Amino acid sequence: MSKKLYIETYGCQMNFSDSEIVGSILSQNDCILEEDINSADIILINTCSIRENAEKRVFNRLRNLKHLKKNNPLLIIGVIGCMAERLKEDLLKKEPAVDLIVGPDAYRDLPKLLNDVNLGGKAVQTLLSEDETYDDILPVRIDSNGVSAFISIMRGCQNFCAYCVVPYTRGKERSRDPQTIVNEAKTLVENGFKEVTLLGQNVNSYFWKENGETVNFSKLMSMVAEISPLLRVRFATSHPKDLSNELIQTIAKYSNICKSIHLPMQAGSNSVLKKMNRKYTREWYLERVNAIKAAIPDCGLSTDIIAGFCGETEEDHKETLSLMKEVGYDSAFMFKYSERPGTTAARNYENDVPEDVKGRRLEEIIALQGELSLESNKKDIGNTFEILVEGQSKRSKKQLFGRNSQNKVIIFTATDEKIGDYVNVTVLDCTAATLRGDRVKEI
Ligand code: SAH
Ligand code: SF4
Ligand code: F3S
């Protein structure tokens, strides 16, 4: 009889995309996806190690799942993803209810490993690979709205930013065969999807070479954009050091490539950037932003910021605030620095910014971003945008929401529109988080 598989995912989009790969591998091996955790025969928790809190959440979750084994002694609980890779067997010591530990490059072995667990005992497989891209696996879509999907185009990262655990949990950077990416996007279009986001930790270093022909990220973006003018194309994440003029031109050229760039700055001070091993300066970053603004004046810009990295002074922090203002981001993900074992920063630098100072700096960053987001949203009032309807608003079924090309969420009152429609909406008012508008039938 088929086993019921429940997958729960934490962390970044790449993890969500991996869960869909895992779902696909196991669906072909006598498992069926189950939405109710209480009825599952196998529970897989796909985990994230990026900050200490991310790991704490998973440990809490595992503790809460233990009792399910009392009702169902044959239940298998597996930990997959970045925590599995980072902690390996140690996870079994920390949480004995776990039966299975599988790292991000070993998902093809899951059927065999599950079998090992069924025969009694525990299974651990955390070898990283230099070439695994799961390129032949068509992911099953989990929790899909049927409109937007993510396509993983590369795996791993070898930038070794001093604070970051990803190069250790995900291994070397490798790109996926472009033809398999285009085929996956085409299949999505055939199934009614309207938007794809090309995913990688550093998408603009995507590179493929075969039979003397090369495909870089710009070329890949155009190949995907040319599948259909009705398919929107997005990407995440780009590293500022590799943001080429060619890519900016490609984004500008195709109307179906969304005018939105997530460009993590992390910090505004050159000494902090250097210590972080980000390989760019404040000036270089600003020059790239200006190049984007010159070529794509309406481009949405978002970022990631870390508050309180090792050695960060009050002056450094002020430089982060001033860079935020200079760029004028539409939105940002903002974090307190969290030391990760094994990283360059953990080995070489003192985590010397006191917790309360980190907290206060983060609050200042969040407050400033609130102002910048509101300012940016206010500028949209009176303008009309084409949005792709993605779902119902939480507050009312009559309200639908979608995103514009700049990646801003716009809510409007529905009449006959449905999820997956392109709709023109004129913005009437806003908060720092969302825009609200009215549908216009003709523009
Ligand atoms: N590959 C992307 C982002 C990966 S992780 C990039 O290079 O930009 C997402 C974000 O988490 C990072 O941009 C960074 O802002 C944050 N982050 C990573 N490690 C962190 C740490 N140790 N403490 C706090 N934030 C961290
Ligand atoms: Fe981490 Fe830096 Fe790689 Fe991003 S580019 S995943 S921050 S090491
Ligand atoms: Fe987390 Fe791993 Fe992604 S550490 S952010 S799940 S690559």
Side-chain angles (χ1 to χ4, degrees), residues 175-178 206-216:
S175 297
R176 174 177 169 188
D177 181 340
Y206 175 90
F207 191 75
W208 183 261
K209 191 169 179 192
E210 199 171 40
N211 305 328
E213 292 227 12
T214 60
V215 178
N216 64 9

Short mmCIF file of all heavy atoms in Angstrom, two decimals, residues 175-178 206-216:
data_model
loop_
_atom_site.label_atom_id
_atom_site.label_comp_id
_atom_site.label_asym_id
_atom_site.label_seq_id
_atom_site.Cartn_x
_atom_site.Cartn_y
_atom_site.Cartn_z
N SER A 175 25.40 24.77 -12.12
CA SER A 175 24.25 25.23 -12.89
C SER A 175 23.55 24.05 -13.55
O SER A 175 24.17 23.03 -13.84
CB SER A 175 24.70 26.21 -13.97
OG SER A 175 25.26 27.35 -13.36
N ARG A 176 22.28 24.25 -13.79
CA ARG A 176 21.46 23.18 -14.36
C ARG A 176 21.35 23.34 -15.88
O ARG A 176 21.32 24.47 -16.38
CB ARG A 176 20.08 23.29 -13.70
CG ARG A 176 19.04 22.38 -14.23
CD ARG A 176 17.75 22.56 -13.43
NE ARG A 176 16.67 21.87 -14.11
CZ ARG A 176 15.40 21.96 -13.77
NH1 ARG A 176 15.05 22.70 -12.73
NH2 ARG A 176 14.48 21.30 -14.44
N ASP A 177 21.26 22.26 -16.60
CA ASP A 177 21.13 22.28 -18.06
C ASP A 177 19.99 23.21 -18.49
O ASP A 177 18.84 23.01 -18.09
CB ASP A 177 20.86 20.82 -18.50
CG ASP A 177 20.73 20.68 -20.01
OD1 ASP A 177 20.47 21.71 -20.69
OD2 ASP A 177 20.89 19.56 -20.50
N PRO A 178 20.29 24.24 -19.31
CA PRO A 178 19.27 25.24 -19.65
C PRO A 178 18.06 24.63 -20.36
O PRO A 178 16.94 25.10 -20.18
CB PRO A 178 20.01 26.20 -20.59
CG PRO A 178 21.25 25.50 -21.02
CD PRO A 178 21.59 24.53 -19.94
N TYR A 206 25.02 32.10 -12.92
CA TYR A 206 24.60 30.92 -13.70
C TYR A 206 25.47 30.80 -14.95
O TYR A 206 25.68 31.79 -15.65
CB TYR A 206 23.13 31.05 -14.12
CG TYR A 206 22.67 29.92 -15.03
CD1 TYR A 206 22.13 28.77 -14.49
CD2 TYR A 206 22.84 30.00 -16.41
CE1 TYR A 206 21.74 27.72 -15.31
CE2 TYR A 206 22.46 28.95 -17.24
CZ TYR A 206 21.92 27.81 -16.68
OH TYR A 206 21.55 26.77 -17.49
N PHE A 207 25.97 29.62 -15.23
CA PHE A 207 26.78 29.44 -16.44
C PHE A 207 26.74 28.00 -16.91
O PHE A 207 26.94 27.08 -16.13
CB PHE A 207 28.24 29.85 -16.17
CG PHE A 207 29.06 29.93 -17.42
CD1 PHE A 207 28.92 31.01 -18.29
CD2 PHE A 207 29.95 28.92 -17.74
CE1 PHE A 207 29.65 31.07 -19.47
CE2 PHE A 207 30.70 28.98 -18.92
CZ PHE A 207 30.55 30.06 -19.78
N TRP A 208 26.45 27.83 -18.19
CA TRP A 208 26.38 26.47 -18.77
C TRP A 208 27.18 26.44 -20.06
O TRP A 208 27.11 27.36 -20.87
CB TRP A 208 24.92 26.11 -19.06
CG TRP A 208 24.75 24.72 -19.59
CD1 TRP A 208 24.60 24.36 -20.89
CD2 TRP A 208 24.73 23.51 -18.83
NE1 TRP A 208 24.47 23.00 -20.99
CE2 TRP A 208 24.55 22.45 -19.74
CE3 TRP A 208 24.84 23.21 -17.46
CZ2 TRP A 208 24.47 21.11 -19.33
CZ3 TRP A 208 24.78 21.88 -17.06
CH2 TRP A 208 24.59 20.85 -17.99
N LYS A 209 27.97 25.40 -20.23
CA LYS A 209 28.76 25.26 -21.45
C LYS A 209 28.58 23.86 -21.99
O LYS A 209 28.72 22.89 -21.23
CB LYS A 209 30.24 25.50 -21.12
CG LYS A 209 31.10 25.64 -22.32
CD LYS A 209 32.48 26.14 -21.95
CE LYS A 209 33.29 26.22 -23.23
NZ LYS A 209 34.69 26.42 -23.01
N GLU A 210 28.23 23.79 -23.27
CA GLU A 210 28.07 22.47 -23.89
C GLU A 210 28.36 22.59 -25.37
O GLU A 210 27.85 23.50 -26.02
CB GLU A 210 26.64 21.97 -23.67
CG GLU A 210 26.50 20.47 -23.85
CD GLU A 210 25.11 20.01 -23.39
OE1 GLU A 210 24.13 20.71 -23.65
OE2 GLU A 210 25.02 18.95 -22.77
N ASN A 211 29.14 21.65 -25.88
CA ASN A 211 29.51 21.64 -27.30
C ASN A 211 29.96 23.02 -27.80
O ASN A 211 29.52 23.48 -28.86
CB ASN A 211 28.34 21.16 -28.17
CG ASN A 211 27.84 19.81 -27.72
OD1 ASN A 211 28.63 18.99 -27.23
ND2 ASN A 211 26.54 19.60 -27.82
N GLY A 212 30.76 23.70 -27.02
CA GLY A 212 31.30 25.00 -27.43
C GLY A 212 30.32 26.16 -27.27
O GLY A 212 30.67 27.31 -27.46
N GLU A 213 29.06 25.85 -26.95
CA GLU A 213 28.07 26.92 -26.75
C GLU A 213 27.93 27.23 -25.27
O GLU A 213 27.95 26.34 -24.44
CB GLU A 213 26.71 26.47 -27.29
CG GLU A 213 26.71 26.31 -28.78
CD GLU A 213 25.49 26.97 -29.41
OE1 GLU A 213 24.79 27.72 -28.72
OE2 GLU A 213 25.28 26.70 -30.60
N THR A 214 27.79 28.54 -24.98
CA THR A 214 27.64 28.89 -23.57
C THR A 214 26.31 29.60 -23.34
O THR A 214 25.78 30.27 -24.22
CB THR A 214 28.78 29.85 -23.12
OG1 THR A 214 28.70 31.03 -23.92
CG2 THR A 214 30.14 29.22 -23.25
N VAL A 215 25.79 29.42 -22.14
CA VAL A 215 24.57 30.13 -21.75
C VAL A 215 24.84 30.79 -20.40
O VAL A 215 25.15 30.11 -19.42
CB VAL A 215 23.36 29.16 -21.61
CG1 VAL A 215 22.12 29.90 -21.15
CG2 VAL A 215 23.10 28.44 -22.93
N ASN A 216 24.78 32.12 -20.37
CA ASN A 216 24.92 32.79 -19.08
C ASN A 216 23.52 33.16 -18.57
O ASN A 216 22.52 32.83 -19.19
CB ASN A 216 25.85 34.02 -19.18
CG ASN A 216 25.28 35.09 -20.10
OD1 ASN A 216 24.13 35.02 -20.53
ND2 ASN A 216 26.10 36.08 -20.40
#
